[in-house]
Amino acid sequence: MGILEGKRGLILGLANDKSIAWGIAQACHREGAELGFNFLGEQLERRVRPLAKKVNSRFIEALDVSDDAQLDAFFDKVKEQWGELDFMVHSIAFANKDALRNPFSTTSREDFRLALDISAYSFIACAQRAAPMMKAGGSMVTMTYLGAERVIPGYNVMGVAKAALEASTRYLAQDLGKQGIRVNALSAGPIRTLAASAVGDFRKLMEKSARGSMLGRNVSQNEVGNTTAYLLSDLASGVSGEVHYVDAGFHVGSGDPGIE
Ligand code: NAP
């Protein structure tokens, strides 16, 4: 019997089979969960539907998390179809490419607003709509990165957004804990995905991360998926408000991946 047997959950942020959300979906499906997905726009719908089918999902609906009306409509449909919810994964981030390529000190108000809105506030917006459906308690997990607490060249405004996301995780954990809902963040090492391609010199970042990690390599989307499945499951029933690293131990290293 899988660790998520009998549980129903949403995985938000599946774009393609390279997405971290796909690693999470496969792990949760293997562990027995029934899954629901969102997609952003028609182009992505064509990619998300076949993937969702592979994990026997029957809930696939449009959702742009920057739009309150779409958020309301999406979660109304979840309520209509499922009534109750056991878990939610938030695997969504966005920043304008220019804001990641130009010096951080030149970040515009609009680029800051956009990155923080989609990459951090949207977790709160989804959590406040999902929580009332978690009548028997539940678990929420969001995806973050080390750039929240250290300066990672090229990560720029996304680092500030991830810092807000991690702080939001702790405040949500405090509020929703009263309803038996656990809220955690998973800090993944670099993985080649669509979103990652926006980060300047990502190849170099991956090389440095592998060299500076305890295991001497990078992590896979499956490893992130397996740890997320654990955090969503009752095996992690005592874990909340945590930032859990899945980065092959890089964050406990010297901080200078150039040193051999
Ligand atoms: P990804 O496959 O590109 O996933 C990012 C997802 O966010 C996409 O599905 C994207 O849709 C979606 N998104 C962006 N704006 C949205 C909006 N307004 N409404 C709804 N969805 C929206 O890349 P990923 O690397 O798996 O990213 C997933 C999460 O992991 C992100 O939070 C990312 O910061 C985090 N993370 C990634 C890494 C890494 O190295 N890859 C490391 C640590 C943490 P579109 O494609 O249509 O924009």
Side-chain angles (χ1 to χ4, degrees), residues 17-59:
D17 64 356
K18 302 282 179 298
S19 294
I20 287 178
W22 182 235
I24 297 170
Q26 288 173 294
C28 291
H29 173 63
R30 183 195 68 221
E31 295 301 330
E34 185 179 349
L35 302 174
F37 297 90
N38 77 309
F39 60 85
L40 180 65
E42 269 175 36
Q43 213 187 338
L44 277 205
E45 180 176 7
R46 282 200 297 275
R47 271 190 255 142
V48 171
R49 280 200 184 276
L51 289 175
K53 219 171 144 191
K54 281 190 184 172
V55 291
N56 300 336
S57 173
R58 278 173 295 165
F59 186 95

Side-chain angles (χ1 to χ4, degrees), residues 6-260:
K7 291 194 191 288
R8 268 181 179 160
L10 295 171
I11 298 184
L12 307 177
L14 177 62
N16 56 39
D17 64 356
K18 302 282 179 298
S19 294
I20 287 178
W22 182 235
I24 297 170
Q26 288 173 294
C28 291
H29 173 63
R30 183 195 68 221
E31 295 301 330
E34 185 179 349
L35 302 174
F37 297 90
N38 77 309
F39 60 85
L40 180 65
E42 269 175 36
Q43 213 187 338
L44 277 205
E45 180 176 7
R46 282 200 297 275
R47 271 190 255 142
V48 171
R49 280 200 184 276
L51 289 175
K53 219 171 144 191
K54 281 190 184 172
V55 291
N56 300 336
S57 173
R58 278 173 295 165
F59 186 95
I60 305 123
E61 296 289 342
L63 172 61
D64 177 339
V65 292
S66 65
D67 181 335
D68 280 340
Q70 286 197 35
L71 279 160
D72 288 339
F74 179 86
F75 282 94
D76 281 351
K77 281 179 194 154
V78 177
K79 191 164 183 206
E80 237 172 73
Q81 284 201 33
W82 284 353
E84 291 191 19
L85 197 57
D86 298 296
F87 66 80
M88 181 182 78
V89 175
H90 173 273
S91 186
I92 288 173
F94 184 80
N96 268 335
K97 257 192 186 157
D98 282 351
L100 300 175
R101 298 279 150 92
N102 295 332
F104 175 72
S105 57
T106 65
T107 307
S108 70
R109 188 186 299 275
E110 179 51 21
D111 283 349
F112 187 92
R113 189 203 61 74
L114 190 67
L116 272 281
D117 183 27
I118 296 180
S119 315
Y121 178 73
S122 71
F123 185 40
I124 305 167
C126 292
Q128 67 194 208
R129 288 166 174 86
M133 284 184 264
M134 295 184 171
K135 298 210 170 69
S139 176
M140 300 181 185
V141 177
T142 188
M143 296 297 132
T144 186
Y145 178 60
L146 184 63
E149 53 177 273
R150 284 200 214 160
V151 173
I152 306 286
Y155 207 59
N156 294 3
V157 72
M158 190 54 78
V160 179
K162 292 301 190 193
L165 180 68
E166 292 182 11
S168 302
T169 298
R170 292 186 279 273
Y171 282 98
L172 284 170
Q174 147 108 352
D175 271 11
L176 302 180
K178 299 177 189 88
Q179 294 164 238
I181 299 170
R182 299 181 292 103
V183 187
N184 291 290
L186 185 153
S187 188
I191 296 174
R192 206 172 293 285
T193 64
L194 211 59
S197 65
V199 178
D201 224 343
F202 192 71
R203 191 183 54 83
K204 205 162 157 192
L205 181 68
M206 287 199 75
E207 279 169 19
K208 281 185 171 186
S209 292
R211 246 188 304 137
S213 77
M214 303 293 116
L215 299 177
R217 63 168 176 85
N218 282 307
V219 296
S220 69
Q221 67 180 159
N222 291 336
E223 289 176 310
V224 173
N226 287 338
T227 305
T228 305
Y230 147 75
L231 286 171
L232 296 173
S233 81
D234 295 341
L235 291 179
S237 59
V239 183
S240 195
E242 189 67 41
V243 176
H244 189 318
Y245 283 82
V246 179
D247 66 346
F250 180 82
H251 73 290
V252 299
S254 67
D256 183 355
I259 296 170
E260 297 293 346

